[in-house]
Amino acid sequence: MPSSVLEQPVQYLKGVGPQRAKALSELGVRTLRELLLFLPRSYIDRSTSTTLRALARALHQQEQLFHSPLTLGDSERLLYSEVTLIARVERVREHTYGSGRQMLQASISDDSGVGGFLIFWNRLDYYRRLLQPGQLYAIAGRPTLDRRGYVTFHHPELEPVESEDEELYRIGRILPKYRLTQAARTAGLSQARLRRLVAAALEHARAELADPLPEWLQQEFQLLPLPQALEQLHFPDSAEQLARARYRIKFEEMLLFQLLLGLRQRGVQRERGLPLSPKSPHARWLLERLPFQLTRAQRRVLWEIAADLESGHPMNRLLQGDVGSGKTIVAVLTMLIAIDNGYQAVLMAPTEILAEQHYHTLRRLLEGSDLHVVQLVGGQNPRLRAELLEQIASGAAHIIVGTHALFESSVQYHRVGLLVIDEQHRFGVLQRARLRELARSSLGTNGIAPHVLVMSATPIPRTLSLVLYGDLDLSVLDELPPGRSPVQTKVVFESQLPQVYEFIRQELRAGHQAYIVYPLISPSERIPAKAATEHFEYLQSEVFPEFRCGLLHGELFWYEKEAIMRAFANGEYHVLIATTVIEVGIDVPNATVMLIHNAERFGLAQLHQLRGRVGRGQAQSYCFLVTRDHFRFHWRDGNPQERIAAIVRLRTMEQTTDGFRIAEVDLQLRGPGDLLGTRQSGIPEFRYVNLVTDGELISRARHAAQRLLERDPELRHPEHLALRRLLRERFGADARFLDIA
Ligand code: ADP
Ligand code: MG
């Protein structure tokens, strides 16, 4: 017999026989506890759902944007959030197109007296059954206007409002919507039935619903107690109570994650590290050779780093800074400290191109010193590789630059004291921890953890960095080197290109240089390189005949690219015509113009990186974002969301050069997954928390986790044992350091 009512199987409830129990278990609900935690996916709330009339008006307003494409009102956000609409299906029709493609179209109407349409292309069988004329539905999605000006939803989420719920809806109750499968419905599980089951479960189990969050924390952070929160989530009394209940659930989810990070951070802080003296003759030598003084921010960050290195515990620090803030030199000086203490330094980049660039930067900076820099990447010839491995093993190599290949078992290091990870958001918290372990063992420092400095290439919004880098100490370069004035940015149309080219010629005559960038539409297509090539000839012979143009694209061999880049850096080319290969790392302070064709196709982070290639010297720099004259028509067949997003991106670039602000907008536009490149982003999945909109909550949960760990660093107080158990349930092996202490 299960000891707790909460662990009773759902069959315990009246009205649940074997068939419904099976349907429920397919939804992940086997016990009463799971039933209580089977939270509604969304709610039907008459007071917050919109009407077809209001939608039509807002969408028409939006459409006006395109008549004067680059001025935006506040309505720009409207289409980014889903809307919920309650409407009745009038008629369902099917079309078959010449190509044989079928479409299902339902006309809808609501009390506002306006009509609209739902359109379906896929799973027609399913929708044919679901869509019943006369039936009321909750419709959620992102509407558009069709050619005739009707509000249209393509593949919205659809939930029939059951007839017994219509009355509740009419009197203004907030109705939960549970995720119900077809199988569940067939087994007789309607929304209303499910609510009754939940009510029964609450009744039976209420007494046993203990809150895992300690009293003091609930009070300090004004959280609804769990039993009340669950009750409100299933049976909301009001929108406010529901909001508090959701907050409570999200808070717990984020609190657990922040506890995990906090425990990890504290765990690392307790570990034994290599005490390194910050006195470094090589660092002093380099500083004297630099043609500039460090900024105040750079000096402050170096102090923070030096304090870590001296502490006897391993450094575990994130270095954030906008494009051009001078992160590289900070990393190099840190490496020199490690080297002068008798250790090797390892620099890992996410891609071979970036590793290559770091390698050359280091070689250039350390030219004339007695320090030896080597590079380990894939595809090196075996003789060279053997030689490099030998230099690494013997300690003849002081700095080793590379990609993941750095951690292959064949590499034997000689006393590695510092690992610098230039990561461009490629690694998540957990991956990074594993990487660190791997480094520690492969580096062979007798269980003593090496110092780790992580550099992020692009600014990350603060709340997101609390999630991605919450286990690291943070240093921010919040100051650009002096004498840099912000790059002046202007969106121009293709018809204005002659004037822009004339402007560029003036800059070139004044001795400056320019980049002209073409989009890489798809890396597998050969078109982009060809397009650049075609334009190259035209630009060289027709537009810039008295200047020299270079051509750079991704299909060249690396040594060709390098030769061209070097020639540009030496001033042998005045104009560099390129694809986005120049996005990262290129540093030619004499270049003052960046012109980007089809700028509407680029993402914000990319535009910011590209623009970051200019404005690196003393002279005023300019960025031109070129787009089609008839933006509106150009995008006619495209997705309207994408059309608006493009406008917001271009406007943002015109309005600010602050990478952190740009990152915030990017997060709003794309969501965290896309922002960081979904696949490898390492962003943990959250069930309830929304990383885009829950920023405030994330900060508070972080704060709560810190308060908890200050009181009870290992979560051993009896009132914290429930949290400890939850951590272990949630994170499994990744929570093992709970026991390290
Ligand atoms: P990022 O932070 O984007 O990696 P870099 O490290 O590439 O920036 O530095 C950008 C440019 O600024 C480089 O040319 C670098 O030499 C230069 N730089 C770095 N620090 C300073 C400084 N304190 N004063 C002037 N120029 C600097
Ligand atoms: Mg850099």
Side-chain angles (χ1 to χ4, degrees):
M1 266 306 272
S3 56
S4 153
V5 180
L6 282 168
E7 306 311 327
Q8 296 278 4
V10 280
Q11 284 208 29
Y12 175 88
L13 296 172
K14 229 167 68 191
V16 183
Q19 210 193 347
R20 283 189 188 151
K22 182 160 174 284
L24 280 168
S25 91
E26 276 159 18
L27 295 170
V29 175
R30 282 160 301 256
T31 64
L32 296 199
R33 179 198 298 282
E34 286 168 342
L35 179 58
L36 291 177
L37 290 175
F38 184 64
L39 300 182
R41 184 181 46 176
S42 59
Y43 297 85
I44 302 176
D45 180 355
R46 199 186 158 109
S47 64
T48 56
S49 51
T50 180
T51 63
L52 277 166
R53 180 177 298 279
L55 269 182
R57 196 182 317 120
L59 287 166
H60 278 290
Q61 264 173 19
Q62 199 108 59
E63 196 70 359
Q64 299 306 311
L65 286 178
F66 302 114
H67 292 299
S68 48
L70 299 170
T71 45
L72 265 187
D74 288 338
S75 53
E76 70 189 45
R77 293 265 179 268
L78 176 95
L79 286 188
Y80 293 107
S81 49
E82 286 213 337
V83 298
T84 303
L85 178 77
I86 311 289
R88 212 173 284 282
V89 165
E90 305 276 337
R91 226 148 57 102
V92 181
R93 294 202 305 175
E94 292 194 33
H95 298 279
T96 304
Y97 288 87
S99 58
R101 199 142 184 238
Q102 284 188 306
M103 179 188 88
L104 201 64
Q105 185 193 48
S107 55
I108 53 172
S109 69
D110 67 4
D111 298 341
S112 70
V114 170
F117 293 98
L118 312 180
I119 306 278
F120 301 91
W121 296 97
N122 306 316
R123 298 175 63 210
L124 297 194
D125 279 344
Y126 171 76
Y127 287 110
R128 250 178 232 128
R129 249 181 292 131
L130 186 65
L131 290 165
Q132 297 302 328
Q135 164 86 45
L136 201 60
Y137 294 83
I139 299 158
R142 297 172 168 185
T144 56
L145 288 181
D146 70 8
R147 272 177 226 275
R148 293 163 305 163
Y150 283 106
V151 175
T152 305
F153 288 83
H154 291 260
H155 278 274
E157 260 181 53
L158 269 188
E159 182 70 48
V161 178
E162 294 158 10
S163 49
E164 58 184 303
D165 283 349
E166 264 195 52
E167 185 50 28
L168 291 172
Y169 165 70
R170 214 169 296 285
I171 62 170
R173 289 293 301 188
I174 300 173
L175 298 176
K177 287 197 293 175
Y178 297 94
R179 178 174 54 87
L180 287 183
T181 54
Q182 196 54 46
R185 288 180 202 281
T186 311
L189 284 172
S190 62
Q191 297 284 345
R193 164 81 62 183
L194 201 71
R195 282 206 304 276
R196 284 199 289 276
L197 291 180
V198 173
L202 261 176
E203 181 101 344
H204 286 300
R206 190 188 311 266
E208 289 194 23
L209 272 176
D211 198 318
L213 304 186
E215 255 333 289
W216 66 266
L217 192 96
Q218 292 179 40
Q219 265 161 26
E220 194 169 320
F221 290 86
Q222 295 171 8
L223 301 171
L224 218 52
L226 182 65
Q228 248 169 289
L230 286 179
E231 182 148 13
Q232 287 301 318
L233 285 163
H234 291 292
F235 305 99
D237 282 328
S238 65
E240 293 76 51
Q241 287 299 308
L242 177 58
R244 283 197 70 194
R246 292 175 120 172
Y247 192 90
R248 164 63 183 73
I249 297 296
K250 291 179 183 185
F251 194 90
E252 178 179 316
E253 182 177 44
M254 186 45 73
L255 176 71
L256 285 175
F257 187 71
Q258 292 295 337
L259 279 174
L260 179 81
L261 299 183
L263 284 163
R264 184 188 301 285
Q265 190 174 16
R266 277 155 199 263
V268 171
Q269 281 162 1
R270 275 194 304 267
E271 282 180 76
R272 213 147 62 82
L274 307 161
L276 303 185
S277 156
K279 285 220 174 65
S280 164
H282 279 102
R284 185 150 339 108
W285 170 84
L286 177 61
L287 280 173
E288 274 162 18
R289 264 172 44 119
L290 286 178
F292 51 73
Q293 302 265 306
L294 294 184
T295 63
R296 227 173 324 137
Q298 284 170 322
R299 285 202 303 269
R300 190 193 64 236
V301 166
L302 277 165
W303 275 111
E304 290 164 0
I305 290 173
D308 287 355
L309 297 179
E310 268 184 310
S311 71
H313 300 289
M315 169 164 76
N316 205 22
R317 188 168 284 280
L318 170 68
L319 176 56
Q320 269 230 67
D322 206 343
V323 176
S325 60
K327 295 181 288 286
T328 313
I329 198 74
V330 171
V332 174
L333 290 166
T334 307
M335 291 196 271
L336 295 181
I337 294 175
I339 292 165
D340 281 339
N341 279 272
Y343 294 96
Q344 276 181 335
V346 171
L347 170 56
M348 181 172 80
T351 64
E352 297 201 348
I353 293 175
L354 219 56
E356 186 90 31
Q357 277 168 10
H358 279 312
Y359 174 65
H360 286 284
T361 305
L362 282 163
R363 292 275 301 244
R364 188 164 44 79
L365 285 171
L366 301 178
E367 208 166 30
S369 78
D370 55 345
L371 297 184
H372 185 43
V373 185
V374 301
Q375 178 178 218
L376 264 194
V377 291
Q380 281 167 322
N381 88 45
R383 273 233 333 263
L384 175 63
R385 188 175 162 87
E387 204 173 299
L388 294 176
L389 289 180
E390 163 56 30
Q391 292 171 2
I392 294 169
S394 70
H398 299 98
I399 298 181
I400 302 102
V401 182
T403 56
H404 276 82
L406 289 169
F407 296 117
E408 282 165 15
S409 56
S410 58
V411 189
Q412 293 277 316
Y413 290 95
H414 183 83
R415 287 160 57 86
V416 171
L418 172 69
L419 170 62
V420 179
I421 305 176
D422 183 6
E423 71 162 25
Q424 287 203 309
H425 324 163
R426 298 292 166 101
F427 311 108
V429 172
L430 301 179
Q431 286 96 316
R432 194 167 45 244
R434 283 170 207 141
L435 198 68
R436 221 169 148 279
E437 285 306 308
L438 193 66
R440 186 222 296 266
S441 50
S442 77
L443 302 182
T445 36
N446 306 327
I448 298 184
H451 296 288
V452 176
L453 181 67
V454 179
M455 292 198 283
S456 88
T458 314
I460 308 160
R462 182 177 148 70
T463 52
L464 202 53
S465 71
L466 285 182
V467 172
L468 286 175
Y469 299 106
D471 58 336
L472 304 182
D473 299 314
L474 177 65
S475 286
V476 183
L477 288 177
D478 50 7
E479 177 187 11
L480 291 180
R484 306 253 177 102
S485 37
V487 179
Q488 284 184 26
T489 304
K490 204 163 164 355
V491 176
V492 296
F493 295 118
E494 283 176 0
S495 60
Q496 296 168 288
L497 272 176
Q499 293 102 288
V500 175
Y501 285 146
E502 178 51 34
F503 180 89
I504 295 178
R505 279 193 293 268
Q506 282 170 24
E507 284 292 302
L508 300 182
R509 273 183 224 120
H512 296 305
Q513 290 165 282
Y515 298 98
I516 297 182
V517 174
Y518 290 88
L520 193 76
I521 297 159
S522 145
S524 61
E525 282 175 22
R526 307 196 114 222
I527 300 154
K530 273 194 205 131
T533 313
E534 281 162 13
H535 285 94
F536 170 73
E537 276 154 25
Y538 163 75
L539 287 170
Q540 174 67 85
S541 57
E542 306 287 324
V543 183
F544 302 110
E546 71 271 44
F547 300 103
R548 289 200 56 191
C549 300
L551 175 65
L552 189 69
H553 58 75
E555 288 178 9
L556 298 171
F557 289 109
W558 66 267
Y559 53 85
E560 294 174 312
K561 280 186 225 164
E562 216 187 274
I564 291 165
M565 264 151 47
R566 196 170 327 112
F568 184 67
N570 293 337
E572 291 159 38
Y573 291 123
H574 304 98
V575 182
L576 190 62
I577 293 157
T579 58
T580 52
V581 287
I582 61 157
E583 190 180 328
V584 276
I586 292 199
D587 186 30
V588 181
N590 188 46
T592 56
V593 182
M594 167 64 64
L595 185 152
I596 304 171
H597 282 284
N598 293 120
E600 74 281 354
R601 292 178 174 274
F602 292 83
L604 263 182
Q606 213 175 11
L607 289 172
H608 182 59
Q609 279 289 343
L610 282 169
R611 181 169 60 183
R613 298 308 108 213
V614 297
R616 300 187 146 242
Q618 301 292 317
Q620 175 64 53
S621 293
Y622 306 88
C623 174
F624 296 99
L625 304 172
V626 185
T627 186
R628 300 265 182 100
D629 290 60
H630 298 295
F631 198 74
R632 167 181 159 77
F633 301 111
H634 171 45
W635 281 92
R636 173 175 264 169
D637 298 321
N639 173 349
Q641 296 295 326
E642 179 45 35
R643 198 163 54 168
I644 292 172
I647 295 176
V648 174
R649 290 196 298 267
L650 295 176
R651 288 281 290 167
T652 304
M653 289 296 291
E654 271 190 324
Q655 285 167 357
T656 184
T657 54
D658 179 341
F660 286 91
R661 272 192 60 200
I662 290 174
E664 292 283 353
V665 175
D666 212 13
L667 181 64
Q668 301 285 338
L669 287 182
R670 296 204 281 168
D674 281 352
L675 179 62
L676 304 181
T678 9
R679 193 88 46 75
Q680 268 197 312
S681 69
I683 303 185
E685 298 262 329
F686 292 100
R687 257 179 95 170
Y688 307 116
V689 173
N690 179 328
L691 294 179
V692 179
T693 54
D694 289 330
E696 173 76 19
L697 176 136
I698 294 171
S699 301
R700 293 191 76 225
R702 161 94 171 170
H703 180 57
Q706 283 168 340
R707 296 270 294 110
L708 256 163
L709 293 177
E710 275 159 27
R711 282 186 171 220
D712 184 7
E714 291 162 36
L715 297 183
R716 296 208 183 267
H717 283 312
E719 60 172 344
H720 299 154
L721 289 184
L723 273 176
R724 174 176 254 275
R725 187 163 347 103
L726 271 181
L727 274 171
R728 211 184 291 278
E729 270 172 34
R730 195 77 39 99
F731 299 112
D734 287 315
R736 68 189 175 286
F737 49 83
L738 272 170
D739 298 320
I740 288 175

